[in-house]
């Protein structure tokens, strides 16, 4: 995206391994959050404006020396999708910056760590509708299943079991499904009780914070999915760890 003639010359001189090694060890420059803040986009008169988002993105993608991180970040963002248009109505660029910084900071890390961080991010919770998600109640209301479904289908194991070469496993000539609707419903119980750490919307600061648990909204009953059972009485933070560990270890 932002490669220059000297960059191309550096790849030629260092070789692929040398260039990749240098890129992996290169620290991030300015974060997306700091880029916005340093230019005054956190001023109260910007609360309902999208100004700064496009410039923030392009300045990092084009001018960043950490070109490998920029490219991996975009690739991950194409999988772990959120949208600036569906973020909260106030300080949208900052809301997105908080999410993007998670992805870019963990672009070279472990995918399990990244899953943990996006699962507690308020923008992801807005986009896939599990912010303030509540446990089932006596009126028949059930936890929102949007995130649990997308977590399985798009972010991790996918619809069908695979062989080591990536081809689908078959039974009777048909692909074997990796999960059922019951698995989605059971996993949705994990994603209850997650709320904003800071309720104040007069500054963008709350979008730099991970969500926290409201125990009164969390489902404390048994949660069963993918052959895993989380015992009754397990709190929300522990339930999330068990769930993500089980998904990450799925064959």
């Amino acid at each position: 995206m932002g490669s220059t003639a000297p960059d191309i010359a550096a790849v030629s001189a260092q070789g692929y391994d040398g260039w990749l090694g240098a890129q992996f060890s290169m620290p991030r420059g300015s974060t997306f959050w700091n880029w916005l803040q340093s230019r005054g986009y956190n001023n109260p008169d910007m609360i309902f404006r999208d100004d700064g988002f496009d410039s923030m993105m392009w300045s990092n993608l084009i001018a960043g020396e950490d070109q490998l991180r920029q490219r991996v970040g975009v690739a991950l963002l194409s999988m772990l999708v959120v949208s600036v248009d569906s973020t909260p109505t106030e300080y949208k660029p900052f809301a997105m910056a908080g999410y993007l910084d998670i992805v870019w900071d963990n672009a070279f890390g472990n995918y399990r760590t990244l899953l943990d961080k996006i699962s507690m991010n308020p923008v992801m919770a807005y986009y896939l509708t599990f912010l303030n998600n509540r446990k089932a109640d006596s009126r028949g209301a059930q936890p929102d299943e949007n995130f649990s479904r997308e977590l399985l289908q798009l972010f991790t194991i996918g619809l069908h079991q695979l062989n080591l070469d990536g081809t689908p496993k078959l039974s009777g000539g048909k692909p074997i499904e990796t999960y059922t609707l019951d698995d989605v419903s059971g996993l949705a119980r994990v994603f209850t009780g997650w709320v904003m750490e800071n309720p104040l919307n007069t500054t963008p600061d709350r979008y730099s914070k991970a969500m926290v648990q409201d125990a009164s909204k969390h489902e404390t009953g048994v949660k069963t999915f993918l052959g895993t059972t989380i015992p009754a009485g397990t709190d929300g933070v522990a339930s999330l760890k068990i769930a993500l560990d089980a998904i990450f270890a799925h064959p």
Side-chain angles (χ1 to χ4, degrees):
M1 284 167 279
S3 298
T4 64
D7 293 331
I8 296 169
V11 176
S12 299
Q14 297 173 353
Y16 294 138
D17 287 344
W19 183 81
L20 289 171
Q23 287 285 308
F24 281 132
S25 63
M26 184 180 296
R28 281 193 72 187
S30 175
T31 64
F32 290 108
W33 188 277
N34 287 344
W35 192 96
L36 290 170
Q37 197 164 41
S38 68
R39 288 158 177 80
Y41 289 109
N42 57 335
N43 291 337
D45 60 345
M46 305 297 292
I47 186 169
F48 295 122
R49 295 168 62 178
D50 295 348
D51 302 52
F53 177 75
D54 287 347
S55 298
M56 172 191 76
M57 290 298 299
W58 286 116
S59 65
N60 276 272
L61 295 176
I62 294 174
E65 293 184 5
D66 54 347
Q67 279 297 296
L68 183 61
R69 184 182 298 275
Q70 301 297 333
R71 292 163 188 258
V72 173
V74 168
L76 288 168
L77 190 62
S78 298
M79 296 162 50
L80 306 171
V81 176
V82 294
S83 168
V84 67
D85 292 328
S86 60
T87 54
T89 54
E90 80 279 354
Y91 293 111
K92 285 185 180 182
F94 276 97
M96 282 296 293
Y99 182 80
L100 294 168
D101 281 332
I102 287 174
V103 176
W104 263 243
D105 283 343
N106 293 276
F108 300 151
N110 186 283
Y111 196 64
R112 169 65 180 81
T113 302
L114 185 55
L115 287 176
D116 188 69
K117 292 184 179 297
I118 68 162
S119 296
M120 292 190 291
N121 177 264
V123 169
M124 177 59 79
Y126 267 105
Y127 186 62
L128 290 179
T129 61
F130 71 100
L131 184 69
N132 300 317
N133 195 13
R134 302 181 66 91
K135 60 186 176 183
D137 62 29
S138 59
R139 296 170 298 174
Q142 296 294 321
D144 187 292
E145 298 179 355
N146 206 10
F147 183 69
S148 63
R149 180 177 293 104
E150 302 307 318
L151 178 63
L152 296 177
Q153 180 177 341
L154 299 180
F155 299 167
T156 58
I157 61 177
L159 291 171
H160 300 124
Q161 296 183 28
L162 302 177
N163 297 304
L164 289 178
D165 64 358
T167 56
K169 291 184 178 181
L170 303 178
S171 176
K174 296 181 179 181
I176 303 172
E177 294 183 348
T178 53
Y179 61 87
T180 67
L181 292 177
D182 287 341
D183 291 317
V184 172
S185 297
L187 182 59
R189 294 158 70 88
V190 172
F191 298 103
T192 53
W194 292 100
V195 300
M196 287 280 213
E197 188 264 353
N198 181 354
L200 298 177
N201 66 352
T202 52
T203 75
D205 293 349
R206 63 182 184 160
Y207 298 117
S208 67
K209 310 286 187 182
M211 294 185 296
V212 296
Q213 267 286 304
D214 178 346
S216 68
K217 297 179 180 179
H218 181 68
E219 175 57 66
T220 56
V222 173
K223 309 172 184 74
T224 303
F225 52 90
L226 299 177
T228 297
T229 298
I230 299 177
T234 305
D235 65 46
V237 174
S239 293
L240 176 64
K241 182 182 185 306
I242 294 169
L244 293 181
D245 283 346
I247 295 168
F248 191 67
H250 193 281

